[in-house]
Structure formats: structure tokens, C-alpha cells
Amino acid sequence: MLLVLKPGKQELGREAARIIANAVRRNPVLRLGLATGSTTLEMYKELVRLHREESLDFSQVVTFNLDEYLGLSPTHSQSFHHFMQQNFFAHVNIPAANIHIPDGSITGDYDRYCCSYEQSIRDAGGIDLQILGIGRNGHIGFNEPTSSLGSRTRLKVLSKETIDDNRKFFEQSEKVPECAITMGIGTILEAKRILLLASGPSKAAAIAQAIEGPVTASVTASALQLHPDVTFIVDEQAGAQLKHHDYYRRVLEMTAILTPDRL
Ligand code: F6R
């Protein structure tokens, strides 16, 4: 596990974009797992800049988003389809056929749909690099506390905390989604490399529990302790409750000398 500490959200987003850009340059057919949410905004902004100003080419990249709210059409202003279009896909050259986002407008046989999403990941050859944010309650994707650590893509009931966090984004007259389709923890853990981004004081407890606490379904991000190649990029506020800063700094210094490709 690598922990990269940055002063704030902007630096954190730029660092994530730098790692993604390097991965795309090394492997133009990269299969990239994507997340939405405010923490990822600077990252997408920087990736768009790299595409425009430094010719970063996404033409062969294949993407898989983690999740989508159930009941929202792709054009709804709060859907993750809309978020991705607005902040990333409309500004880079990823062919539409290479973009995969769970469809929140489906009704009926959810299990079948979720199996087909898993199959599309397998058919592409698996995810090379998965980007994650983290919820205040330690969720990754929408794997809320008590989610099975072996879970696959499925329909998930959102926790009250997540629903409350989302309320501000919806009109008062609108119903805030109570369910989502999300990749499972088992799905996420199969990605070859994982990058988790966290910013701000509201994430400090979740980050400390995920990195230094026990592996537990109560904090689903703690399952990342089981993965061989995870990089946490956190700002000072999100990293404030970690105990082993000195060690993480030394690990980074030695990594830069011994295995710089990991950075
Ligand atoms: C979104 C997702 C969620 C968010 C998390 C943090 O695709 O999977 O797990 O990453 O809720 O959201 P923000 O960055 O808005 O705090």
C-alpha cells in the first residue's frame, strides 16, 4: 500500500491524473475503472487539460464506471451518466462504444443485468486501473457498511447517511434515490491496480479506519488491505487521523528510489 499525502484537493486531483496519464501512455488500450463524486472533479479537469494541451490519447481506452443511481435516466442532471459526460467524456476522445456505466433506468431482472455488467468487464479482459472515492461511512462504490466483502455488481440499498449526503443535490420536490447499481467489493478487488482519492475533514475517520483499522464489512474500504497494489492519495485533512505518517513518507521515498514505476 502506498499513501501519497497532498496539501489539498487540487494537488490530489492532479496527482491522480498524472498516474492515469502515465498508465494510458504505457498502455494505450488501458481498461480504466472510474468513479464520480466531488473528489474526482479536479482529476477529470486535469485529464481533459492533458488531452487538449499534451495530446493525451484516450482513443483506445475502455472505461467501466463503478455505479449509478437506480431510477435515474442517463439524462437526469444528478445521474452519474450526466456527471461523466459533463466532466469527462464530452471533452476527450474515448469512443462511445468503449464507455460502460451501469444503467440506472432498468426495471425488472436486476440480477441478470448486473451479471451482464460483470461479463462486459470480463470480456474486456478485466480492469487495469480502478479509481475510487470513499464515503464518510467508508463505502467504496456504493458498497455500504455490512456489504459482503465478496460481493459482485448488484442492486444495493443506500444507507441513510449516503441518502442524506445526496439530498442537497436534488430538488426539494424530487425523491432522492434510495438504491443504486454498484460494482461489488469482489469486483473492485479484481482490478490490477487501485487508486483511492480522499479529501477534506469529513473523510478523515473513514481513511484511518480503511488503512489502519481491521478489515471489516463495517468499513468496506478496509477490504483494500487485501489488495496487492493500492495507492491512497489523500489531502492533509483527510489524512489527519492516520497514525503512521512517518512510515508512509519513508515508503514513498524508498519506492521513488527502488521501484519508481509504481508512482
Ligand atoms: C461514486 C462512488 C462513491 C463516491 C463517494 C465519495 O461513483 O462510487 O463511492 O466516490 O461517495 O463521493 P464524494 O467524492 O462526492 O465525497
Side-chain angles (χ1 to χ4, degrees):
M1 187 278 294
L2 291 173
L3 181 101
V4 179
L5 199 67
K6 292 283 167 189
K9 213 175 199 167
Q10 197 174 33
E11 293 85 353
L12 175 153
R14 287 198 184 141
E15 175 66 6
R18 186 190 65 79
I19 292 173
I20 296 171
N22 280 348
V24 173
R25 287 187 185 113
R26 271 188 213 131
N27 176 17
V29 295
L30 191 81
R31 290 145 308 186
L32 184 58
L34 294 173
T36 59
S38 58
T39 321
T40 60
L41 284 171
E42 287 293 336
M43 175 189 84
Y44 288 123
K45 205 162 131 189
E46 176 65 2
L47 285 174
V48 170
R49 190 195 68 76
L50 289 169
H51 171 66
R52 286 192 177 145
E53 295 176 16
E54 297 183 23
S55 309
L56 182 62
D57 180 19
F58 291 97
S59 63
Q60 297 178 78
V61 169
V62 177
T63 66
F64 290 93
N65 266 75
L66 279 168
D67 43 17
E68 178 59 286
Y69 293 119
L70 189 74
L72 295 195
S73 77
T75 53
H76 189 287
S77 64
Q78 293 308 321
S79 74
F80 291 165
H81 277 77
H82 185 78
F83 177 100
M84 291 306 301
Q85 207 53 38
Q86 289 279 106
N87 295 299
F88 190 44
F89 295 141
H91 314 288
V92 295
N93 62 337
I94 304 179
N98 290 9
I99 294 172
H100 305 81
I101 308 179
D103 182 357
S105 64
I106 54 154
T107 51
D109 198 344
Y110 301 113
D111 285 350
R112 206 157 114 134
Y113 176 77
C114 293
C115 281
S116 74
Y117 197 71
E118 290 270 328
Q119 190 59 46
S120 60
I121 297 174
R122 272 194 295 274
D123 290 346
I127 291 173
D128 297 305
L129 175 60
Q130 175 67 55
I131 311 303
L132 298 174
I134 185 169
R136 283 192 300 137
N137 61 8
H139 73 207
I140 48 176
F142 273 135
N143 294 286
E144 300 287 36
T146 73
S147 290
S148 156
L149 299 186
S151 53
R152 314 297 310 187
T153 301
R154 69 209 181 290
L155 194 62
K156 188 76 199 159
V157 176
L158 300 178
S159 69
K160 190 172 173 312
E161 202 169 16
T162 300
I163 295 171
D164 289 346
D165 281 351
N166 289 337
R167 203 173 297 282
K168 57 182 176 291
F169 301 117
F170 288 81
E171 302 287 333
Q172 255 188 345
S173 56
E174 268 183 313
K175 204 167 148 18
V176 183
E178 292 195 23
C179 295
I181 293 172
T182 181
M183 282 187 205
I185 298 295
T187 321
I188 292 170
L189 290 178
E190 279 173 11
K192 289 199 190 94
R193 183 178 182 189
I194 296 177
L195 219 57
L196 185 146
L197 279 53
S199 163
S202 67
K203 304 292 173 69
I207 282 294
Q209 287 171 318
I211 297 177
E212 295 175 349
V215 174
T216 167
S218 300
V219 180
T220 55
S222 66
L224 299 177
Q225 292 176 30
L226 301 170
H227 192 280
D229 193 358
V230 182
T231 303
F232 287 84
I233 310 179
V234 307
D235 67 14
E236 274 160 18
Q237 291 180 320
Q241 291 185 29
L242 289 166
K243 292 199 190 90
H244 305 295
H245 276 294
D246 217 42
Y247 180 68
Y248 305 135
R249 190 183 43 73
R250 285 178 45 232
V251 170
L252 264 194
E253 283 168 8
M254 295 309 281
T255 304
I257 296 167
L258 299 172
T259 50
D261 278 1
R262 288 195 66 205
L263 299 177

